Amino acid sequence: ARLANQIAAGEVVERPASVVKELVENSIDSGATRIDVDIEKGGSKLIRIRDNGSGIAKEELELALSRHATSKISCLDDLEAIISLGFRGEALASISSVSRLTLTSRTITQSEAWSAYAEGRDMAVQVKPAAHPVGTTVEVVDLFFNTPARRKFLRTDKTEFGHIDELLKRIALSRFDVAITLRHNGTIVRQYRAASNDAQREKRLAAICGSQFVKSAVEVSLEHQGLTLQGWICTPEGARAQNDIQHCFVNQRMMKDKLINHAIRQGYEASLRPEQFAAYVLYIDIDPHQVDVNVHPAKHEVRFHQARLVHDFIYQAVADALIQVAA
Ligand code: ADP
Ligand code: MG
């Protein structure tokens, strides 16, 4: 409980896309190299995420569904250097409290799979034998069936699916090594193949951000005092048409961080022809002890211990890259 108190509580289930985010992040944390996402009716009828990760042992299934049960953080020291995407141990519990949830899984040491079913808030979990390869499938049916006010708040299937599609684009950008398939109402909408070389990475980048982005972007790769910055930055001219493509990842976690945004913008402004457009896909890697991700429940913000250093490094890297292409 003490540990739970250290972790800012937050409601994670706002709409179907937030469910998909939590479930896909769990798959990534489990070491999955392939993730299949099946959506029906914008996610209000069905969200099914299947992975080939480590799986959950039979005796852990029920625990996985209970609040504040996480296998990822075991002491406060872990909390100070979080490398997994999840750590609050409340996503599955929150999701199952507002849906009919089936968790089916098999670990490599088990000869058969098991499945746990929970429905709504009473959480009488039933565990039964099932058929499943090594890995996990989470099926979320009738999201918000017991919270009509929230169900009414959902937009059209198309809009909700659009949010899921955008989310998976960002996830696909964060992990080029993971194959991801997205289906809506039985039809394959996206297929991101695992990319392991530059040509394959560029192909995935083009599939997500468009070939125009790839054409007008310069690649950056810099290292300074244990801090690395990699990725693609559009020239100010190119950015004009790509203004909405602004993706930033810190230690493979998606971020919408004020400090980082500010540094990038300053970098653009320092380039020869300042314009108010910016487009980029950037990856920052930093010692996990140097960053606090436990700031906001939605986990989009970070606190860098050496904020000034990080800011100036990003600013300088962006400015240099843009000045170079302009020259
Ligand atoms: P958190 O991710 O914060 O630990 P969750 O509620 O999302 O909390 O998940 C609870 C636990 O269930 C995880 O700590 C993990 O042990 C297990 N789990 C959930 N999804 C998966 C998955 N796809 N593969 C393996 N284990 C999983
Ligand atoms: Mg999680």
Side-chain angles (χ1 to χ4, degrees):
R2 193 173 122 72
L3 183 59
N5 290 337
Q6 300 276 341
I7 303 174
E11 204 49 77
V12 291
V13 198
E14 202 189 312
R15 60 183 347 147
S18 33
V19 172
V20 175
K21 176 175 189 287
E22 294 297 331
L23 298 182
V24 171
E25 288 187 346
N26 280 346
S27 296
I28 290 174
D29 282 342
S30 81
T33 56
R34 94 156 284 124
I35 302 172
D36 292 312
V37 180
D38 272 291
I39 303 297
E40 278 176 34
K41 292 195 189 289
S44 65
K45 183 156 183 276
L46 172 78
I47 296 169
R48 187 195 297 123
I49 317 282
R50 183 187 180 96
D51 69 50
N52 65 350
S54 62
I56 306 169
K58 185 195 174 196
E59 356 21 290
E60 308 276 313
L61 278 178
E62 196 172 339
L63 191 66
L65 290 174
S66 62
R67 208 161 279 270
H68 298 310
T70 179
S71 60
K72 298 168 193 171
I73 303 275
S74 50
C75 60
L76 281 174
D77 193 47
D78 289 354
L79 193 54
E80 275 155 20
I82 289 167
I83 48 172
S84 57
L85 294 169
F87 56 89
R88 292 186 168 78
E90 61 183 3
L92 284 183
S94 303
I95 297 164
S96 69
S97 74
V98 290
S99 69
R100 306 180 215 276
L101 186 146
T102 310
L103 180 60
T104 307
S105 198
R106 189 180 134 197
T107 62
I108 193 125
T109 56
Q110 282 173 204
S111 53
E112 66 283 294
W114 293 87
S115 118
Y117 177 78
E119 184 176 314
R121 293 193 193 280
D122 29 296
M123 284 278 296
V125 180
Q126 299 165 29
V127 179
K128 288 193 230 159
H132 197 280
V134 173
T136 303
T137 295
V138 184
E139 212 173 75
V140 176
V141 174
D142 297 336
L143 183 64
F144 301 142
F145 79 97
N146 54 354
T147 51
R150 282 217 251 171
R151 196 167 170 97
K152 235 170 70 186
F153 194 71
L154 290 179
R155 304 292 172 213
T156 61
D157 291 359
K158 189 164 173 265
T159 300
E160 294 301 338
F161 183 76
H163 286 292
I164 293 170
D165 189 24
E166 283 308 310
L167 166 86
L168 284 178
K169 282 182 186 173
R170 279 182 280 139
I171 291 176
L173 282 175
S174 77
R175 290 299 298 264
F176 281 75
D177 54 332
V178 179
I180 303 172
T181 305
L182 173 63
R183 286 189 189 77
H184 194 203
N185 300 327
T187 306
I188 292 184
V189 178
R190 307 280 173 206
Q191 199 153 30
Y192 303 118
R193 290 172 211 284
S196 53
N197 59 37
D198 282 351
Q200 290 169 342
R201 266 189 287 276
E202 209 158 273
K203 209 172 154 203
R204 185 186 274 208
L205 183 68
I208 298 167
C209 298
S211 51
Q212 216 34 56
F213 177 89
V214 178
K215 272 191 206 118
S216 50
V218 280
E219 221 173 320
V220 286
S221 176
L222 282 155
E223 207 252 302
H224 175 67
Q225 293 190 12
L227 209 62
T228 68
L229 181 79
Q230 281 175 299
W232 297 272
I233 306 175
C234 266
T235 58
E237 301 75 32
R240 184 192 290 275
Q242 314 288 327
N243 199 31
D244 54 333
I245 299 175
Q246 299 184 345
H247 300 292
C248 184
F249 305 87
V250 176
N251 294 351
Q252 301 192 321
R253 191 185 286 273
M254 330 176 209
M255 288 297 160
K256 284 192 181 113
D257 187 78
K258 284 205 192 78
L259 177 97
I260 298 172
N261 288 349
H262 184 265
I264 294 171
R265 193 149 294 280
Q266 297 264 94
Y268 268 91
E269 279 173 20
S271 77
L272 295 181
R273 269 168 292 169
E275 303 201 21
Q276 70 259 61
F277 302 102
Y280 50 85
V281 176
L282 288 174
Y283 304 87
I284 296 160
D285 284 285
I286 183 168
D287 174 358
H289 287 98
Q290 290 296 314
V291 56
D292 182 8
V293 294
N294 195 16
V295 179
H296 189 269
K299 294 173 280 186
H300 286 312
E301 284 175 26
V302 277
R303 192 172 289 140
F304 295 102
H305 297 186
Q306 292 181 282
R308 190 79 239 173
L309 180 83
V310 174
H311 178 279
D312 291 352
F313 170 65
I314 297 171
Y315 156 72
Q316 203 60 56
V318 171
D320 287 352
L322 293 177
I323 287 167
Q324 264 175 33
V325 287

